[in-house]
Amino acid sequence: MRELAEVRLTAWVHGHVQGVGFRWWTRARALELGLTGFAANKPDGRVQVVAQGPRESCQRLLDLLQSGETPGRVDNVASDFTEPRDSLQGFTER
């Protein structure tokens, strides 16, 4: 099976990641990588990151989320790659 050129990354970021500029930081990194999508606070304290674009760029964003160099404190990132779905415009904070 050939690698998908375009993918959708869905990442659930656990830790102290709300109220610390994490979504803004994620948006800035995603835009630098040319990705579309969003970063959203969830009621349980996690941040959901959805990004679409080239697989290499999505993997780079995932690496950055796990790098230990984000605002706040990331304890764990659960992620998966799927086929891109509905087209997303820009990268927003929700």
Side-chain angles (χ1 to χ4, degrees):
M1 181 178 141
R2 84 177 177 80
E3 286 275 314
L4 290 170
E6 297 268 315
V7 298
R8 173 181 281 220
L9 163 68
T10 302
W12 295 92
V13 185
H14 303 250
H16 179 63
V17 290
Q18 291 190 9
V20 293
F22 186 86
R23 290 177 304 153
W24 178 89
W25 181 89
T26 300
R27 177 179 180 270
R29 302 295 79 77
L31 290 173
E32 289 169 1
L33 291 165
L35 300 172
T36 60
F38 62 87
N41 282 341
K42 293 299 173 183
D44 63 4
R46 295 180 298 173
V47 169
Q48 178 190 24
V49 177
V50 173
Q52 286 187 177
R55 183 175 184 100
E56 188 176 295
S57 297
C58 286
Q59 181 62 55
R60 179 74 186 120
L61 180 61
L62 179 58
D63 293 344
L64 288 166
L65 294 173
Q66 298 170 324
S67 69
E69 297 174 14
T70 65
R73 184 193 75 248
V74 173
D75 295 334
N76 181 45
V77 180
S79 64
D80 71 344
F81 290 96
T82 56
E83 289 188 21
R85 292 202 297 265
D86 28 284
S87 94
L88 300 165
Q89 298 299 313
F91 199 97
T92 59
E93 295 173 47
R94 295 186 181 172

